[in-house]
Amino acid sequence: MTLDLRVPSRSEYASWQGALELAFGGVEGSVGDPDLLRDLAEIERAIGVWDGDECVGTAGAYSFRLSVPGGAQVPTAGVTRVSVAPTHRRRGVLTSMMRRQLDDVRSWGEPLAVLTASEPMIYGRYGYGVASHALTAEIDTSRVRIQAPGGGDGIRLRRVRADDPEVREACEALYAAEVARRPGMLGRRPGWERLPVVGTGAGRDGLSPLQCVLAERDGEVVGFTLFHNRPEWDMAGPKGAIELKDLHAADPVAYAELWRFLFGIDLTSAVRVRSRPVDDPFRYLVSDLRRCALRVRDDLYLRPVELALALEARTYRTPVDVVLEVTDAFCPWNEGRWRLSGDAKGATCARTADAPDLVLSVNELSAVYLGDTALTALAGAGRVREVRAGALDAASVAFGSDVAPWLPHGF
């Protein structure tokens, strides 16, 4: 039977969602909170593939604004909920959805597309590259201490309800302030402020209800943390763990006091961290880094949909004037030679017939776009070729970021 690719109707949403859950193991809720997903769904931006009456492929795209070096928030398609039914593998279903989706994103005027990958090997052939990494840790708080700066006496910590509207508003303001300072973060649209507090009930995987503690100075909220407690015991006594979900602060003192609070919770001996920026300051506050079990993993995948607009949307750490020869088989409108000229104030990017300075594919531009990976590192792996001597080092510095990009949450 011929496969039919189309935008699902509202009446087809349940079938579309069911196909997604089946592809991810067949457990209801395995791909996120069903009620929240339904409320946030932009079904008109989704794609489904049907074999008769059966939905066998899904792909969605949220309308986000991504923070890039320089502080701008760029319209971005957040690719999500991609699946292919096990019965329809290797029949071109995924490629057909990616083709349609990137054409749609281009027509929507969004220069960038981003995603998080369940399997990293999948998306490179569609031009995506790893644009940010995340830090995970399991900190032995029975042996590690926080060496906080002075000034903590002016901070008041207060436990509150995570789902209180006023608390949520204060926390969202702190999050939004950080978006302006750090590349890779998502400017959240209305409704997304609910994301950090879904699933607050007790009992799931032995976790406590979601807990929220505010850091206040002179009555003003200057930080917050969201976390679960996982009580555990053995014959020697308590060995519970704190599962950190979120932590933001307006200044180093409030930040350190929140970490010190987490380290000191009774009946626990570990803080487990799932996703923090690779330059997270807690690394420089702990007394013993070896007992933090740090690991770095790939996180946000990105690709320029309109290359010139994407390169013009960010700023550059040092002045740059370079001709890039780019290959992009999946989005051929990006192929060719482009002259990028820019600095910390802005940039221009236009087609040129001039000789290239650097030769690379869109995958490499994807990886360096947010400043996470250096062009020189990719050249060392043979993935970037320098034609004009000196062009590589200069461009690599210019594409860098003083602050590591970070995606605080999935989508």
Side-chain angles (χ1 to χ4, degrees):
M1 185 174 292
T2 302
L3 299 179
D4 180 21
L5 187 154
R6 64 178 186 270
V7 175
S9 65
R10 288 285 171 182
S11 64
E12 292 173 321
Y13 176 81
S15 173
W16 188 87
Q17 174 72 11
L20 174 70
E21 291 182 344
L22 183 62
F24 277 85
V27 178
E28 185 176 357
S30 59
V31 293
D33 181 86
D35 294 335
L36 182 63
L37 288 175
R38 183 187 61 252
D39 293 344
L40 296 178
E42 298 178 57
I43 195 68
E44 68 282 358
R45 292 167 59 97
I47 298 167
V49 176
W50 272 262
D51 185 348
D53 295 331
E54 180 186 7
C55 184
V56 297
T58 66
Y62 293 118
S63 50
F64 285 141
R65 300 189 74 87
L66 182 74
S67 178
V68 301
Q73 293 184 33
V74 181
T76 299
V79 176
T80 185
R81 305 167 80 180
V82 178
S83 74
V84 177
T87 53
H88 287 68
R89 306 281 190 203
R90 297 176 177 85
R91 293 176 58 179
V93 174
L94 179 60
T95 297
S96 68
M97 291 193 297
M98 293 293 100
R99 170 76 280 136
R100 167 66 180 273
Q101 186 175 68
L102 287 172
D103 289 342
D104 285 347
V105 172
R106 188 186 187 201
S107 73
W108 298 331
E110 294 167 342
L112 298 170
V114 296
L115 56 84
T116 58
S118 56
E119 296 181 88
M121 67 181 67
I122 293 175
Y123 292 99
R125 64 183 184 267
Y126 305 120
Y128 289 88
V130 182
S132 76
H133 289 76
L135 196 67
T136 67
E138 182 159 351
I139 306 168
D140 181 356
T141 53
S142 69
R143 300 189 180 190
V144 181
R145 295 291 177 266
I146 288 290
Q147 300 170 321
D153 291 344
I155 298 294
R156 177 198 180 200
L157 299 181
R158 182 165 64 96
R159 190 180 300 272
V160 294
R161 287 181 54 90
D163 57 355
D164 181 283
E166 291 187 5
V167 169
R168 194 183 299 174
E169 182 179 355
C171 293
E172 193 67 12
L174 286 167
Y175 173 89
E178 191 165 352
V179 171
R181 298 191 297 265
R182 186 179 291 275
M185 295 181 69
L186 300 173
R188 296 200 283 231
R189 300 170 64 244
W192 280 88
E193 74 282 354
R194 295 168 51 199
L195 183 68
V197 297
V198 296
T200 57
R204 183 176 179 181
D205 299 325
L207 296 175
S208 74
L210 185 68
Q211 300 183 48
C212 180
V213 167
L214 301 180
E216 298 174 324
R217 180 187 292 112
D218 300 327
E220 179 186 357
V221 177
V222 291
F224 73 92
T225 182
L226 295 168
F227 62 94
H228 296 279
N229 195 329
R230 184 187 296 276
E232 295 181 21
W233 301 76
D234 62 15
M235 295 299 292
K239 58 170 189 176
I242 297 302
E243 307 274 357
L244 179 63
K245 187 167 184 180
D246 212 354
L247 190 152
H248 296 274
D251 59 67
V253 174
Y255 174 87
E257 289 304 308
L258 287 168
W259 277 100
R260 185 154 60 179
F261 160 74
L262 294 171
F263 274 41
I265 294 176
D266 288 343
L267 309 181
T268 67
S269 57
V271 171
R272 294 171 183 160
V273 178
R274 183 175 180 270
S275 177
R276 298 295 298 174
V278 295
D279 61 352
D280 196 303
F282 88 78
R283 297 174 53 192
Y284 311 104
L285 292 173
V286 294
S287 59
D288 189 343
L289 201 60
R290 295 182 185 179
R291 297 188 183 277
C292 294
L294 300 181
R295 294 184 63 185
V296 175
R297 61 173 175 81
D298 57 293
D299 199 12
L300 184 70
Y301 285 67
L302 176 148
R303 76 109 69 220
V305 179
E306 287 284 6
L307 185 145
L309 293 178
L311 292 179
E312 289 177 345
R314 58 156 292 176
T315 62
Y316 296 85
R317 186 158 55 175
T318 56
V320 61
D321 185 19
V322 63
V323 175
L324 305 171
E325 183 169 291
V326 180
T327 57
D328 188 350
F330 205 68
C331 293
W333 57 83
N334 288 329
E335 292 206 284
R337 295 178 185 175
W338 301 86
R339 178 174 291 279
L340 171 66
S341 300
D343 53 25
K345 296 180 180 178
T348 61
C349 184
R351 289 197 176 274
T352 181
D354 294 345
D357 299 322
L358 300 176
V359 178
L360 70 172
S361 80
V362 72
N363 301 79
E364 284 70 60
L365 277 178
S366 300
V368 304
Y369 182 78
L370 293 178
D372 179 83
T373 300
L375 277 166
T376 50
L378 295 175
R383 294 177 56 183
V384 176
R385 179 166 63 90
E386 182 181 51
V387 179
R388 176 174 62 83
L392 177 64
D393 287 347
S396 188
V397 173
F399 268 90
S401 172
D402 292 332
V403 181
W406 175 46
L407 178 68
H409 59 78
F411 51 89

